[in-house]
Amino acid sequence: MGRRLVPLTLDNLADLPERCHACVFWELDPVSGEAAVRAGSAAAQKEAWISAVLLEWGSCGRVAYVDDVPVGFVLYAPPAYVPRAMAFPTSPVSPDAVQLMTAWIMPGYQGQGLGRVMVQTVAKDLLRREFKAVEAFGDARWREPSCVLPADHLRAVGFKTVRPHPRYPRLRLELRTTVSWKEDVELALDRLLGAVKKEPVPRPL
């Protein structure tokens, strides 16, 4: 089984799940996101966002392939590029961290170590760029797939709460701890990534 992780670009954006490559939940603020969905321009806005981040900051995601079939992805960026983050009550993300926006692995490919490899790849990329941590907004009342990661699953893979909130705590993972992760977090990580699918329509907070 051939596995590879490839940087996300405009060329492979279409390899994300259909609802994801036209989702702008994180990429636009709530008002602009809803307007883009109503106008039918969300896919174009997504492309414009990725293009801008690639040009100004560099790689902002990874796509996982197994035997050339896209089976998962992770998306991340500095908080300055994530307008939706400022709508959360526990913002802002720390200045030494990058925001983990969303991630997902197809159900049939969970439990195979892809999640661990994916996050380790992101960690090594960001360590080279002199970032210290990844932070994410969790959903403490998560019940179904959405753009916001389930807080319990984030904690299960090593994230620690840095700003508590009854619904949207902000959590942090020190990057150096991910480079040599133990196998005992692998299943929890796969559950986390398998639980997340992007919503087609941005939701107000």
Side-chain angles (χ1 to χ4, degrees):
M1 181 175 65
R3 305 191 305 184
R4 60 192 177 97
L5 265 67
V6 177
L8 176 65
T9 67
L10 295 179
D11 294 333
N12 60 11
L13 176 60
D15 287 344
L16 271 58
E18 184 175 355
R19 66 170 61 191
C20 301
H21 62 71
C23 176
V24 289
F25 179 89
W26 289 110
E27 293 82 354
L28 299 176
D29 64 81
V31 174
S32 299
E34 291 168 6
V37 171
R38 288 196 301 269
S41 63
Q45 293 277 11
K46 180 89 165 193
E47 290 189 10
W49 183 87
I50 291 175
S51 179
V53 177
L54 287 172
L55 288 171
E56 297 171 10
W57 183 68
S59 180
C60 58
R62 291 288 188 276
V63 183
Y65 296 87
V66 174
D67 295 333
D68 295 324
V69 176
V71 299
F73 75 96
V74 60
L75 195 62
Y76 55 95
Y81 292 98
V82 191
R84 171 73 66 149
M86 294 307 297
F88 281 75
T90 49
S91 64
V93 169
S94 302
D96 64 347
V98 168
Q99 183 180 341
L100 175 62
M101 297 161 62
T102 195
W104 183 69
I105 290 177
M106 288 176 60
Y109 294 89
Q110 296 167 25
Q112 300 177 15
L114 280 171
R116 183 174 57 176
V117 173
M118 187 180 296
V119 176
Q120 285 178 331
T121 300
V122 172
K124 290 175 183 177
D125 172 37
L126 296 178
L127 281 169
R128 285 194 298 266
R129 294 152 84 171
E130 300 184 347
F131 287 94
K132 293 182 178 180
V134 173
E135 293 189 359
F137 297 101
D139 186 348
R141 303 175 189 169
W142 189 91
R143 293 292 181 271
E144 60 185 13
S146 72
C147 299
V148 183
L149 301 161
D152 287 345
H153 289 186
L154 285 166
R155 295 189 188 100
V157 298
F159 279 79
K160 306 296 184 184
T161 301
V162 291
R163 189 169 179 191
H165 186 269
R167 180 65 189 269
Y168 295 117
R170 177 161 50 89
L171 302 101
R172 179 180 175 96
L173 179 67
E174 300 296 332
L175 285 172
R176 294 191 182 280
T177 67
T178 69
V179 177
S180 57
W181 266 357
K182 297 179 181 179
E183 292 185 3
D184 59 0
V185 303
E186 183 173 313
L187 292 179
L189 180 62
D190 283 328
R191 286 197 297 270
L192 166 65
L193 298 180
V196 177
K197 290 188 290 185
K198 286 202 168 191
E199 297 280 342
V201 180
R203 301 173 301 166
L205 297 176

